[in-house]
Amino acid sequence: MLALLLLLAGCGGASTEVKLLVRDGTVRSVGSECSGTGAYASLHRSAKFVVRGVGGEQVASGVLPAGKAVAALEEDLEVPRVPTFCELTFEVSLPAADAYDLVVDGEPIRLQRKDNQAVGMVP
């Protein structure tokens, strides 16, 4: 367990919440556990990730948690399952920077720092 926590923590830097929104539009129940679908199937619980700085250096690594389905539309459709996006939220230690690349399965996803969060969207 300690090894997993150290792996998730990365090396050096402040604890930063990463929010990754996978805009896949899949029909699910809001709040249910999810992962990316279709072209985004590599974004799932236990997928290994690396966070790289803008110079390409590795600044953190770990495994993704399960995502949580969030409504893709603001209007209430009055049905139990609606179009959703999958949001994966986790914490890593990151050095101060404006941007990072989250790499899962070889594909980089740009993360932008906003306050104490690093936020990314796919696609």
Side-chain angles (χ1 to χ4, degrees):
M1 181 68 153
L2 179 59
L4 177 60
L5 290 174
L6 291 173
L7 181 64
L8 286 172
C11 37
S15 181
T16 303
E17 181 179 65
V18 175
K19 282 194 167 200
L20 179 63
L21 186 64
V22 182
R23 298 183 290 186
D24 57 4
T26 299
V27 175
R28 308 177 177 100
S29 297
V30 171
S32 64
E33 188 175 296
C34 61
S35 60
T37 60
Y40 315 112
S42 63
L43 301 171
H44 60 83
R45 178 198 337 224
S46 78
K48 294 179 182 178
F49 71 83
V50 170
V51 179
R52 298 196 183 282
V54 291
E57 72 283 3
Q58 180 176 322
V59 296
S61 64
V63 294
L64 293 175
K68 183 166 271 198
V70 295
L73 306 171
E74 291 185 22
E75 68 182 274
D76 183 1
L77 301 178
E78 299 181 16
V79 294
R81 293 173 13 134
V82 297
T84 62
F85 299 145
C86 188
E87 184 176 84
L88 294 94
T89 303
F90 54 97
E91 294 213 9
V92 293
S93 290
L94 296 174
D98 292 332
Y100 313 89
D101 283 326
L102 174 70
V103 181
V104 178
D105 199 31
E107 294 297 319
I109 302 163
R110 180 53 52 120
L111 300 174
Q112 298 288 337
R113 185 175 284 278
K114 294 183 181 181
D115 300 320
N116 196 34
Q117 289 184 328
V119 180
M121 287 187 268
V122 181

